[in-house]
Amino acid sequence: MEQQKEHNNYQEKKIKNNFNALSYDSIFFNISTSFIDAGTIIPSFVSMLTTSPVLIGLTTTIRNCGWFLPQLLVARKAESLPYKKPLVLIGAVIYRIALFSIILSAFLAVKSTALSLIFFYLFFTIMSFADGITGVPWIDLFAKSIPVNLRGRYYSKTQFLSGSLSFVTGFIIKGILNIKTLIFPYNYILIFSLALFFAFLSFLSFLRLIEDEKSKTNSALSLIEYFKGIPLVFKNDRDFSMLMIVNTLFRFFFLPLPFYITFARTKLSLPEDIVGIFVSSQMLGFIFAGLIFGRINDIYGSKRVIKITGYLISLPPVLALLSLLLFSKNLPYVPIYILIFMLIGATNSGIWVGIFNYLLKIAPEEKRPLYIGLMNTLTAPTTFLPILGGFIVEKFSYIHMFLFAEIFLISGLFASFSLRHIDEC
């Protein structure tokens, strides 16, 4: 009896410890990424080194491609590992070394913008793929460590705190870019250094995670056998197939993402330091959406969150075009354009809470790494969409690019209606 009581006390303490370890890992990591945001800060930095829309669009492609592409192969490895924490640690260490190297590459801009650009892309690619290595095992650890009844609370806590603190980072970024004596590239070096500081704090928090129970495992199949089993997942699991369709269409959200900044500068005559306001607005949307979506997910289910996200995700391209119209008529347009970034933040929250929570509920435990890897890797081709967006801008116009993205985002909204209410079954 006494042993059972001790065991129960230990389990409660472990759950609390792991809840806090993963919470603050996410909080600090999200603050870090707000200083190197692929939709605002990074395109702004690269646009100081080149005017090519394709190269600017490449930044978002690399960031997303690095996250998505490795995950199916990582999932194969993760399925055979009883403990997932070591795999996360490997990717996390490489990520932070690469981020430090990005800071060093920015110094090269003083002597050669071309050389700085080359090394930036090299280390930015390494950093992005290292993050992709951590994706599958981290989500699996999350599902293993955080009980279902605590996940809504987890989403609300992490998104509120990380969003609130990241909201402040937008004003910090604006302040740094406003310092006249801190010229390029030193202003961005300071911004990237803050990103590294918070990435280090997130790493320290993750180290606290206790993984003392083995996961259910599958023996590592040969690569050919592994890939042969993939079609069976789609054949036998309609829920997963429909979720893949919705997720893929939602990913057209990334096509115009890096160009909202350049559009603001070149077509709407907004100053460079407005990027700080955009970051804060994005975080504000992330905060409120996180609080609301966590509650909606617990009460009404993941499908409701996905449907609401579908409505939100289709608005930014329309608002960008509306802003251009208002600008041409000399009417107020800045508040509407700021709203775009609030919606981007809300969309990021909705995809995480809705899509991934739905995925964790339909995936069998022993196949969870495979489902996560499939979800992310098979949507990897959509990571090249920003390059396509850059091509459309270069050959046609921003208007054509926004309209093209809108067609697929509306399609994703309608596809979300076909998802099953798994939470009610």
Side-chain angles (χ1 to χ4, degrees), residues 367-387:
K367 286 291 183 181
R368 195 160 52 210
L370 174 61
Y371 273 60
I372 297 167
L374 274 176
M375 169 65 72
N376 288 326
T377 300
L378 295 186
T379 53
T382 61
T383 62
F384 295 96
L385 288 172
I387 297 178

Side-chain angles (χ1 to χ4, degrees), residues 51-249:
T51 58
S52 168
V54 173
L55 286 178
I56 293 169
L58 185 60
T59 59
T60 304
T61 293
I62 289 172
R63 189 68 183 96
N64 292 324
C65 197
W67 168 256
F68 292 128
L69 269 182
Q71 294 202 21
L72 188 56
L73 292 177
V74 173
R76 173 175 172 266
K77 179 65 176 176
E79 275 194 3
S80 64
L81 295 176
Y83 299 104
K84 309 297 192 295
K85 185 177 178 180
L87 193 55
V88 176
L89 289 174
I90 291 170
V93 169
I94 296 172
Y95 178 97
R96 284 148 184 83
I97 292 172
L99 179 52
F100 175 71
S101 301
I102 285 173
I103 297 170
L104 298 181
S105 72
F107 277 104
L108 294 174
V110 177
K111 298 292 184 181
S112 170
T113 56
L115 199 59
S116 177
L117 199 63
I118 290 170
F119 279 100
F120 166 79
Y121 276 120
L122 172 63
F123 294 119
F124 189 64
T125 300
I126 293 172
M127 185 191 81
S128 301
F129 276 81
D131 199 22
I133 291 172
T134 68
V136 170
W138 192 97
I139 295 173
D140 195 69
L141 277 171
F142 168 80
K144 178 180 176 181
S145 305
I146 309 296
V148 174
N149 64 309
L150 293 179
R151 289 177 190 172
R153 189 186 308 174
Y154 173 89
Y155 296 136
S156 296
K157 175 185 176 180
T158 57
Q159 295 194 17
F160 176 75
L161 289 178
S162 63
S164 299
L165 294 170
S166 296
F167 175 76
V168 176
T169 67
F171 292 98
I172 294 172
I173 291 166
K174 187 178 188 301
I176 291 171
L177 295 177
N178 261 333
I179 300 173
K180 303 303 179 185
T181 54
L182 194 63
I183 60 173
F184 182 84
Y186 300 107
N187 46 6
Y188 283 92
I189 288 170
L190 178 55
I191 291 169
F192 294 160
S193 297
L194 289 170
L196 180 61
F197 172 72
F198 285 102
F200 181 69
L201 291 182
S202 81
F203 181 75
L204 292 180
S205 181
F206 179 77
L207 285 176
R208 296 170 50 203
L209 182 80
I210 299 170
E211 187 190 17
D212 57 2
E213 294 181 8
K214 292 183 178 181
S215 302
K216 290 183 180 179
T217 60
N218 290 322
S219 57
L221 300 172
S222 70
L223 204 56
I224 295 175
E225 291 175 324
Y226 185 72
F227 283 115
K228 277 183 179 179
I230 289 173
L232 294 176
V233 176
F234 291 95
K235 181 180 178 182
N236 299 331
D237 196 332
R238 178 191 174 278
D239 293 325
F240 181 72
S241 298
M242 283 306 306
L243 187 64
M244 277 294 302
I245 292 171
V246 172
N247 188 55
T248 301
L249 291 170

Side-chain angles (χ1 to χ4, degrees), residues 151-164 283-300 305 308 345-346 348-350 352-353:
R151 289 177 190 172
R153 189 186 308 174
Y154 173 89
Y155 296 136
S156 296
K157 175 185 176 180
T158 57
Q159 295 194 17
F160 176 75
L161 289 178
S162 63
S164 299
M283 290 305 111
L284 196 62
F286 186 79
I287 294 167
F288 286 115
L291 290 172
I292 295 168
F293 283 149
R295 188 67 175 160
I296 291 174
N297 181 78
D298 286 348
I299 298 174
Y300 300 105
V305 176
I308 295 172
N348 285 329
S349 174
W352 173 249
V353 176

Side-chain angles (χ1 to χ4, degrees), residues 330-343:
N330 292 317
L331 295 171
Y333 66 92
V334 176
I336 290 176
Y337 207 75
I338 289 174
L339 180 59
I340 289 173
F341 291 88
M342 293 183 69
L343 290 169

Side-chain angles (χ1 to χ4, degrees), residues 9-25:
N9 288 336
Y10 173 75
Q11 289 299 113
E12 288 178 11
K13 289 179 180 178
K14 185 176 74 170
I15 289 172
K16 183 178 180 180
N17 173 82
N18 288 349
F19 185 95
N20 288 327
L22 291 179
S23 291
Y24 290 103
D25 175 26

